[in-house]
Amino acid sequence: MAKGKSTKKKKELSGGRAQYNMRMVTSDRCEACPTPCSRGLAYAARMKEPGAVGQGVPCVLTKTKIGG
């Protein structure tokens, strides 16, 4: 028997909801940003305190969609 054309099904993301990826930026980048956001300003303020250690904050301006 001959096989028909096989079609690939796209995998649906978790629950059909779009997923996004954002870059982590440090406080110096948040302070130099031309369009500051509340999350970035709050992070920069926390990092100005003595002894503060931070890993960065996700930047909404660098948001890219994952997948199709």
Side-chain angles (χ1 to χ4, degrees):
M1 296 210 158
K3 289 187 176 181
K5 282 189 174 180
S6 62
T7 58
K8 291 184 179 181
K9 290 185 179 180
K10 288 188 177 181
K11 290 184 180 180
E12 192 171 317
L13 299 176
S14 61
R17 189 172 169 193
Q19 293 182 347
Y20 295 94
N21 189 25
M22 293 185 269
R23 289 185 191 159
M24 297 295 281
V25 295
T26 56
S27 59
D28 59 339
R29 180 66 186 124
C30 285
E31 291 171 355
C33 184
T35 54
C37 60
S38 59
R39 182 189 290 179
L41 292 176
Y43 177 72
R46 284 195 313 264
M47 292 300 108
K48 285 184 180 178
E49 295 178 7
V53 176
Q55 298 294 321
V57 65
C59 180
V60 248
L61 300 175
T62 62
K63 185 163 101 170
T64 57
K65 191 171 184 178
I66 298 174

